[in-house]
Amino acid sequence: MRVGVAADHEGYELKERLWLSLKQPHLVIVDYGAPTLNPNDDYPDFVIPLATSVANGEVERGIAICGSGIGACIAANKVRGVRAGIADNVFSARQGVEDDDMNVICIGARLVNFSLAIELVQCFLNAQFSGKPRHQRRLAKIAQLESPMEMQI
């Protein structure tokens, strides 16, 4: 599985530690930055390229990290085809994939310690979309919002 990771200065240390911990034979990790710790960087500069790669199929899943996870989640969800969610517990990390086909997990480095972050990422990467009709129906409604044609609500 190809997995992308991205973080701003708030998530830089966690990203670097995750990067080392995720090195496994079945995973190819692609780093979208930040390449160095820079207190003046901005999460969209790293999260948008990650999200674009997820949407284009260049990586299967993405891990986006900022201080709270919220900014990274907002930025990632602006890319058509990305379903990003914040996870700070194992249930959300797993259920987000199983029910909502989440393809980018967003983590708040100020809120989650390293051992929990590893557990969240493992749950996220090991989970599979259930494909149940009710979940497909809901995702289809969301996909309509991303279509170029205006949808009346």
Side-chain angles (χ1 to χ4, degrees):
M1 175 184 288
R2 289 178 58 85
V3 178
V5 295
D8 66 357
H9 59 280
E10 290 288 342
Y12 179 79
E13 182 182 336
L14 180 57
K15 176 185 71 86
E16 292 298 303
R17 290 184 71 190
L18 281 172
W19 171 269
L20 294 172
S21 298
L22 290 173
K23 288 190 176 180
Q24 300 170 14
H26 69 284
L27 291 178
V28 174
I29 309 297
V30 181
D31 190 348
Y32 288 86
T36 59
L37 180 58
N38 176 354
N40 294 315
D41 66 16
D42 298 315
Y43 58 82
D45 295 335
F46 312 111
V47 173
I48 296 297
L50 165 68
T52 301
S53 290
V54 170
N56 292 338
E58 296 165 20
V59 294
E60 293 172 60
R61 303 255 175 104
I63 302 164
I65 309 165
C66 68
S68 66
I70 294 171
C73 189
I74 291 169
N77 278 314
K78 295 297 180 184
V79 176
R80 183 177 300 177
V82 170
R83 293 168 304 282
I86 298 174
D88 60 4
N89 63 78
V90 237
F91 174 78
S92 296
R94 186 189 75 251
Q95 183 270 341
V97 176
E98 291 175 350
D99 292 0
D100 303 309
D101 203 15
M102 179 172 70
N103 52 16
V104 175
I105 188 172
C106 300
I107 298 174
R110 289 185 180 183
L111 307 172
V112 172
N113 66 33
F114 177 69
S115 39
L116 178 55
I118 286 289
E119 193 175 359
L120 296 174
V121 168
Q122 288 173 342
C123 285
F124 168 68
L125 295 178
N126 290 325
Q128 297 297 317
F129 178 53
S130 70
K132 292 180 181 176
R134 71 177 184 271
H135 300 308
Q136 290 179 352
R137 181 181 68 245
R138 294 166 188 162
L139 290 174
K141 290 177 181 183
I142 293 168
Q144 283 182 344
L145 295 171
E146 296 179 329
S147 70
M149 297 174 51
E150 289 186 30
M151 181 181 148
Q152 300 219 355
I153 300 178

